[in-house]
Amino acid sequence: MNRLIRRFSHINWALADQGMVSGANFLTGILLARFLGVEGFGIYTLGWLVLVFIGSIHTPLVMGAMMSIGPAYSKQDAPKYYGAVLVQNLAVSIAGTLLIGVGVYLTGLLVPEWGIQQLLWPLVIATFASMWQEFFRRYFFTRERPALAFMFDAIRYLGQIAALFLLFRFSPEGLDSSRAMWITAATAAIAILACPFVMGKVAWSWHWTRDIAARHYRSSKWPTLSAPLERVSEYAFYFGAGSLVGSAGVGALRAAQNMMGIAQILFLGLINVVQIKAAKHYGRDGLAALSKYLQQVAWMAGVATAVICLIFAITPAFWLRLFFGEEFVEFGELVRWWALAYTVNVFVLPLRSGLRALETTLPIFTSAMFAAIFAVVSASLVIDWLGLEGAAIGILLSKMIIVLVMWRGMRRSFVRFSH
């Protein structure tokens, strides 16, 4: 029994960590929706989407490559590898933060009715701090120290809930979208302060930094290009809703997604495990072992996610009233469409992990490209035709496109590598 517990301890920590993070995000969404109202929550969501968009580039370029490549290095070479990755993360985080600042400033000038200009400085700080906090989270998982990842995530996410609750409890009139974003920035910054002291041995070498940057680029160029396109395939409908329905529509769409976020706990938790395990299975036992492992992941994650989604989809009005209040009850149909979208999306996990293990990542890019083209072309049309429900349906169709194109690419890759 003890051997079994130790064998799966990495997965247990990953799921515990993601359960805590997703649960905290779920509660944060509830608190913000109740405290800010549907319109204020929509303004916060627009800023949050910008932060997540930058993270979608940061994750595959630095952390996705690290989680696939890092475990293969020996104990002797690992410090030089991770030292090089630290330098790369610093460069990407600075560039991403500058991009956020310029983008939010220009958006505030061009579309002042969105109200996003009030989030400029807190969003800039939150971006830089969040990129480092997310980096250390994946770093500790990659170096098989998941307890530290859990601890620092707890500081950030549970601290965020505590800060929001205390601010509302003692100064409810002082909570707005800007202050909420400042809390996000502060808790992420606090969480990373101790990380450099416990990250273990690292070494810096210009030779290693140059070579690892080149290897990460070769491994991650298509996922890095595909990640923002994948976000576009979802965000086009969010910003379309903001333009055609207003920030209240964005808040409603986000509230429905946030409630279904519980279904993402398994998906997001396994990202920290499946990508690493897939690379090890393929490197150690070959293509057949990789295929078997990915099928097991698909069945387990697919069934579990479908069950959770079904629970919320049966009586969405009850759950919206319970968690968000009467103001959000009318948006129950959005929950059902998000439930279908997350059930489809779970299959991205084994497909993407397998393609990254094979270092054949072009299908990841092409799937996101087709989905983004569909979203940009159709977003205004379906929202104008079906309203907010059209936005949710469009997101579902985008995710179906991603899964189908990636599945086709995976099949072709397995045929090629088997010969």
Side-chain angles (χ1 to χ4, degrees), residues 312-325:
F312 287 98
I314 291 174
T315 56
F318 167 78
W319 296 109
L320 285 170
R321 182 180 290 108
L322 176 65
F323 292 127
F324 295 100

Side-chain angles (χ1 to χ4, degrees), residues 96-314:
T97 301
L98 290 174
L99 184 62
I100 284 271
V102 173
V104 172
Y105 178 76
L106 293 177
T107 301
L109 292 178
L110 297 173
V111 198
E113 61 269 21
W114 284 0
I116 198 174
Q117 61 270 17
Q118 64 184 282
L119 303 180
L120 175 59
W121 287 110
L123 189 55
V124 164
I125 303 301
T127 300
F128 188 80
S130 295
M131 290 177 81
W132 275 102
Q133 197 271 333
E134 283 296 321
F135 170 79
F136 280 119
R137 180 191 190 199
R138 306 298 175 89
Y139 172 87
F140 288 126
F141 272 110
T142 306
R143 302 205 74 174
E144 298 185 343
R145 301 172 71 189
L148 283 175
F150 181 89
M151 181 180 71
F152 291 119
D153 278 349
I155 293 172
R156 175 185 178 178
Y157 291 99
L158 299 184
Q160 182 172 271
I161 291 175
L164 286 171
F165 182 81
L166 289 173
L167 183 59
F168 180 75
R169 175 69 176 81
F170 295 106
S171 182
E173 70 285 351
L175 184 61
D176 56 21
S177 300
S178 177
R179 288 184 174 87
M181 189 62 70
W182 273 117
I183 290 174
T184 298
T187 52
I190 291 170
I192 65 175
L193 291 178
C195 291
F197 299 100
V198 294
M199 63 183 301
K201 184 179 179 181
V202 294
W204 183 81
S205 162
W206 165 247
H207 171 75
W208 273 78
T209 300
R210 181 195 60 199
D211 289 351
I212 294 305
R215 183 174 182 184
H216 275 206
Y217 169 76
R218 290 193 299 271
S219 174
S220 299
K221 60 182 177 181
W222 294 121
T224 300
L225 290 172
S226 68
L229 288 176
E230 191 172 334
R231 293 295 179 183
V232 167
S233 71
E234 182 176 311
Y235 291 178
F237 296 100
Y238 265 106
F239 285 95
S243 298
L244 298 175
V245 185
S247 57
V250 177
L253 193 62
R254 176 60 180 167
Q257 181 187 18
N258 186 75
M259 196 175 75
M260 290 307 308
I262 294 177
Q264 285 284 85
I265 292 176
L266 185 64
F267 175 89
L268 296 172
L270 288 177
I271 287 176
N272 296 325
V273 176
V274 174
Q275 191 166 305
I276 298 171
K277 294 289 186 181
K280 289 184 175 179
H281 275 286
Y282 178 62
R284 184 179 61 237
D285 300 316
L287 201 61
L290 174 64
S291 176
K292 181 179 179 181
Y293 174 70
L294 295 177
Q295 289 179 44
Q296 291 173 344
V297 170
W299 275 105
M300 178 187 69
V303 171
T305 301
V307 170
I308 296 170
C309 288
L310 184 62
I311 293 172
F312 287 98
I314 291 174

Side-chain angles (χ1 to χ4, degrees), residues 294-355:
L294 295 177
Q295 289 179 44
Q296 291 173 344
V297 170
W299 275 105
M300 178 187 69
V303 171
T305 301
V307 170
I308 296 170
C309 288
L310 184 62
I311 293 172
F312 287 98
I314 291 174
T315 56
F318 167 78
W319 296 109
L320 285 170
R321 182 180 290 108
L322 176 65
F323 292 127
F324 295 100
E326 197 67 34
E327 187 179 9
F328 290 85
V329 170
E330 63 180 292
F331 305 111
E333 284 303 312
L334 299 180
V335 175
R336 291 195 171 105
W337 290 113
W338 271 114
L340 287 172
Y342 277 154
T343 301
V344 170
N345 189 64
V346 74
F347 295 104
V348 169
L349 173 64
L351 291 170
R352 182 182 291 145
S353 298
L355 289 167

